[in-house]
């Protein structure tokens, strides 16, 4: 099936640093989504992107829908300890929730 | 609102045993989904439902059955568990099928020995 490749797999950063992570695929997606997953919990939606080239922010988080529609990027500025968690990207192939593909996640550790 | 709840949180089964995972949502959502999450892999859709009394296959449906007898509940059944079904199972719900936000439950960690 259509796979999403997330990188990096893990990141260790100092509090206050900025973070960038990305999600790529060989397939074209209609929608890109970014989730945060805490240990023992399900994913929680952070940002949704609906158009190629779209740049959307949610507080210190900014995500972009790649022009080729095959990738997306998530940036976190001025990281804080509560940013710790797993960031998961997802893409909708046809604009339906039942046709989504998820990345394996980027595990973020923030050192105070 | 409790949102999406899952029962149980943990379970250990022996190969060949059966069990049912329960998902409940109190948001009056039409759509519900069952996913599995395995190490190093993204969530994969097992089955989903677009309304009470309806179910459909997702990406990895083999070995699982589902039922949606009530709008608020979505059950996932394993008739004869196999070690390959060891995973963390997540239920989700959404108000509509399109790009509506999916709300996920806390997950059920299942180990099949």
């Amino acid at each position: 099936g259509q796979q999403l490749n997330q990188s990096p797999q893990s990141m260790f950063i100092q509090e206050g640093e900025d973070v960038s992570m990305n999600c790529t695929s060989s397939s074209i997606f209609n929608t890109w989504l970014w989730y945060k997953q805490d240990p023992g919990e399900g994913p929680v939606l952070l940002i949704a992107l609906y158009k190629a080239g779209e740049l959307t922010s949610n507080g210190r988080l900014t995500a972009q829908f790649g022009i080729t529609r095959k990738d997306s990027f998530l940036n976190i500025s001025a990281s804080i300890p509560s940013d710790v968690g797993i960031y998961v990207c997802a893409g909708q192939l046809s604009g339906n929730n039942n046709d989504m593909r998820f990345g394996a996640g980027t595990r973020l550790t923030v050192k105070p | 609102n409790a949102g999406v709840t899952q029962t149980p949180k943990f379970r250990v089964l022996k190969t060949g045993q059966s069990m049912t995972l329960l998902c409940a949502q109190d948001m009056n959502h039409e759509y519900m989904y069952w996913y599995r999450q395995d190490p190093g892999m993204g969530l994969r859709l097992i089955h989903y439902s677009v309304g009470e009394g309806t179910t459909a296959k997702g990406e990895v449906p083999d070995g699982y059955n589902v039922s949606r007898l009530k709008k608020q509940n979505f059950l996932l059944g394993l008739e004869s568990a196999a070690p390959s079904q060891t995973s963390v199972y997540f239920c989700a719900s959404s108000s509509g099928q399109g790009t509506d936000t999916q709300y996920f439950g806390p997950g059920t960690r299942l180990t099949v020995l």
Side-chain angles (χ1 to χ4, degrees):
Chain A
Q2 296 87 348
Q3 299 298 318
L4 295 186
N5 301 306
Q6 268 192 263
S7 66
Q9 286 188 333
S10 61
M11 302 181 74
F12 294 83
I13 62 169
Q14 206 72 37
E15 181 177 359
E17 289 183 350
D18 297 342
V19 172
S20 291
M21 59 190 79
N22 67 72
C23 198
T24 61
S25 175
S26 58
S27 301
I28 291 174
F29 289 90
N30 285 331
T31 303
W32 283 94
L33 303 146
W34 284 92
Y35 293 86
K36 182 171 185 273
Q37 187 171 7
D38 292 324
E41 300 292 333
V44 175
L45 183 65
L46 297 172
I47 294 177
L49 303 157
Y50 302 104
K51 290 173 55 176
E54 180 180 351
L55 188 71
T56 297
S57 293
N58 178 4
R60 292 178 295 104
L61 278 63
T62 301
Q64 184 162 25
F65 193 139
I67 291 292
T68 65
R69 295 169 63 194
K70 294 182 178 181
D71 56 11
S72 180
F73 304 87
L74 176 69
N75 296 316
I76 305 174
S77 62
S79 58
I80 59 178
S82 63
D83 290 335
V84 165
I86 299 174
Y87 291 82
V88 177
C89 67
Q92 288 185 338
L93 289 163
S94 60
N96 292 318
N97 282 333
N98 57 292
D99 204 7
M100 287 176 64
R101 298 293 183 269
F102 289 81
T106 293
R107 183 181 296 271
L108 178 64
T109 301
V110 179
K111 293 179 283 188
Chain B
N1 277 359
V4 179
T5 58
Q6 293 183 232
T7 309
K9 285 190 178 297
F10 305 93
R11 185 72 186 270
V12 178
L13 290 178
K14 294 182 180 179
T15 297
Q17 288 185 317
S18 63
M19 79 161 293
T20 301
L21 281 66
L22 171 64
C23 176
Q25 52 94 5
D26 60 3
M27 296 174 283
N28 201 35
H29 283 169
E30 287 293 331
Y31 294 80
M32 297 186 74
Y33 315 81
W34 274 108
Y35 293 91
R36 60 178 289 173
Q37 187 175 43
D38 300 299
M41 300 183 69
L43 289 161
R44 291 181 292 167
L45 184 63
I46 303 171
H47 286 280
Y48 64 100
S49 168
V50 300
E52 181 179 318
T54 73
T55 63
K57 294 180 179 180
E59 186 182 358
V60 289
D62 294 342
Y64 304 95
N65 56 76
V66 289
S67 64
R68 184 99 181 268
L69 297 179
K70 292 183 179 181
K71 185 177 183 179
Q72 63 267 33
N73 294 339
F74 195 28
L75 277 63
L76 178 71
L78 287 72
E79 289 187 350
S80 180
S84 61
Q85 293 178 305
T86 294
S87 187
V88 181
Y89 292 87
F90 288 97
C91 176
S93 71
S94 68
S95 58
Q97 186 176 13
T99 56
D100 289 349
T101 300
Q102 288 189 65
Y103 295 86
F104 285 84
T108 294
R109 183 174 294 275
L110 175 66
T111 301
V112 183
L113 302 176

